[in-house]
């Protein structure tokens, strides 16, 4: 709350919620509820779409097939190829729709909060990708080849090969999972903050003598909602695209 004008400025408090209930010291809050609902929505949708699949699909099955095929062909096959990528399609489809629905809660009435704006959720998803990528690297290339893949070790670089290897090692083992999580988190955090700011400003200005300004703020709120709908899908796409590119790097031959 800013001093003097009484405008309830959004801040970190906009991302904190009181527990809905507590069991043995474990607090279950709104964000956890939305994450649980996200899981139920994704599972329910795909079960309804493919549980009794038909040769001539209905509208729900067509939507499910379109979404599944978009991730399979548009992301996985394009990055990993059909032969290598087929086994990762279920994982990538799950990641895409789970992240997308987590983001969409931001513009859904009553919920109005993107789960991905809490760093713990993108961090766990990025860790999942990391725990697939790293063992896969060593499984495909062996112990020595795996380290060469992770460090980018190349004798042809001469004296600077150790410096390059150190930078690559630091980048791949620490920076990569960090940026993978933070990219999703930061975009959804900033987007939610902007939405809250314009929404609260519209209400605040409407209850003052600056009603015309309230109209401008309301228009910006609508624009931000439309923009957020675009960003929410893009962030799910980028997260899965990067996950596929990391796996592709683990499978690629080291030169």
């Amino acid at each position: 709350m800013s001093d003097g004008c009484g405008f309830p400025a959004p801040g970190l408090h906009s991302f904190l919620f009181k527990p809905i209930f507590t069991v043995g010291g474990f607090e279950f809050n709104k964000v956890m509820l939305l994450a649980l609902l996200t899981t139920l929505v994704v599972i329910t949708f795909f079960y309804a779409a493919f549980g009794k699949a038909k040769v001539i699909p209905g509208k729900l099955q067509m939507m499910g097939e379109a979404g599944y095929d978009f991730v399979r062909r548009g992301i996985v096959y394009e990055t990993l190829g059909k032969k290598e990528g087929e086994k990762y399609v279920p994982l990538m489809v799950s990641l895409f729709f789970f992240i997308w629905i987590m983001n969409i809660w931001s513009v859904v009435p009553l919920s109005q909060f993107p789960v991905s704006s809490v760093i713990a959720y993108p961090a766990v998803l990025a860790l999942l990708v990391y725990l697939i990528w790293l063992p896969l690297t060593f499984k495909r290339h062996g112990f020595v080849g795996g380290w060469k893949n992770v460090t980018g070790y190349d004798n042809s670089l001469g004296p600077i090969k150790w410096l390059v290897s150190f930078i690559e090692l630091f980048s791949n083992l620490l920076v990569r999972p960090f940026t993978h999580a933070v990219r999703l988190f930061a975009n959804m955090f900033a987007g939610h903050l902007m939405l809250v700011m314009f929404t609260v400003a519209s209400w605040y200005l409407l209850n003052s003598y600056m009603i015309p300004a309230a109209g401008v703020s309301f228009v910006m709120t609508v624009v931000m909602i439309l923009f957020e709908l675009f960003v929410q899908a893009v962030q799910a796409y980028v997260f899965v695209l990067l996950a596929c590119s990391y796996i592709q790097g683990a499978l690629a031959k080291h030169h």
Side-chain angles (χ1 to χ4, degrees):
M1 183 85 62
S2 59
D3 296 330
C5 69
F7 175 70
L12 290 178
H13 62 276
S14 303
F15 297 84
L16 300 176
F17 298 94
K18 294 180 180 179
I20 299 173
F21 62 83
T22 303
V23 178
F26 174 78
E27 296 182 348
F28 187 86
N29 60 23
K30 177 180 177 179
V31 185
M32 296 177 183
L33 176 61
L34 292 177
L36 180 60
L37 288 175
T38 299
T39 305
L40 294 176
V41 167
V42 174
I43 292 174
T44 301
F45 172 76
F46 280 103
Y47 179 80
F50 299 116
K52 296 180 179 179
K54 300 177 181 178
V55 176
I56 302 177
K59 292 181 179 179
L60 195 61
Q61 186 178 332
M62 287 180 65
M63 290 174 59
E65 288 178 355
Y68 187 89
D69 210 44
F70 167 74
V71 177
R72 180 177 63 176
R73 295 182 182 277
I75 305 178
V76 181
Y77 285 4
E78 285 291 324
T79 309
L80 297 171
K82 184 176 181 180
K83 182 180 179 181
E84 293 283 10
E86 190 62 44
K87 69 180 73 173
Y88 298 103
V89 171
L91 171 65
M92 297 307 167
V93 170
S94 300
L95 280 175
F96 179 86
F97 283 96
F98 185 71
I99 293 169
W100 188 28
I101 300 302
M102 282 201 304
N103 295 344
I104 282 179
W105 291 119
S106 173
V107 296
V108 175
L110 299 181
S111 62
Q112 296 172 309
F113 187 83
V115 179
S116 304
S117 65
V118 176
I119 187 62
Y121 295 91
V124 169
L125 295 178
L127 180 62
L128 173 63
V129 174
Y130 179 85
L131 292 177
I132 293 172
W133 161 72
L134 192 59
L136 182 62
T137 301
F138 287 96
K139 181 180 179 181
R140 175 58 65 97
H141 303 285
F143 183 78
V144 175
W147 279 113
K148 286 183 177 181
N149 186 289
V150 172
T151 60
Y153 179 85
D154 188 349
N155 262 326
S156 65
L157 294 175
I160 66 168
K161 63 185 177 184
W162 298 112
L163 176 60
V164 172
S165 294
F166 175 77
I167 294 173
E168 284 292 308
L169 181 67
F170 180 78
S171 174
N172 287 329
L173 295 187
L174 296 176
V175 177
R176 174 178 288 185
F178 176 78
T179 55
H180 198 192
V182 169
R183 182 179 287 104
L184 172 60
F185 156 74
N187 277 279
M188 300 317 302
F189 182 93
H192 181 63
L193 208 58
M194 293 294 289
L195 272 178
V196 172
M197 183 180 72
F198 283 113
T199 303
V200 173
S202 299
W203 178 255
Y204 175 78
L205 293 170
L206 189 63
N207 288 276
S208 68
Y209 59 88
M210 300 180 67
I211 295 178
V216 175
S217 182
F218 177 76
V219 170
M220 285 302 301
T221 302
V222 175
V223 171
M224 283 300 303
I225 289 174
L226 295 175
F227 182 68
E228 274 299 291
L229 285 170
F230 171 73
V231 171
Q232 288 158 6
V234 168
Q235 288 306 310
Y237 176 86
V238 170
F239 191 95
V240 173
L241 180 64
L242 288 173
C244 287
S245 70
Y246 296 157
I247 292 174
Q248 191 275 334
L251 299 173
K253 292 182 179 179
H254 177 73
H255 299 285

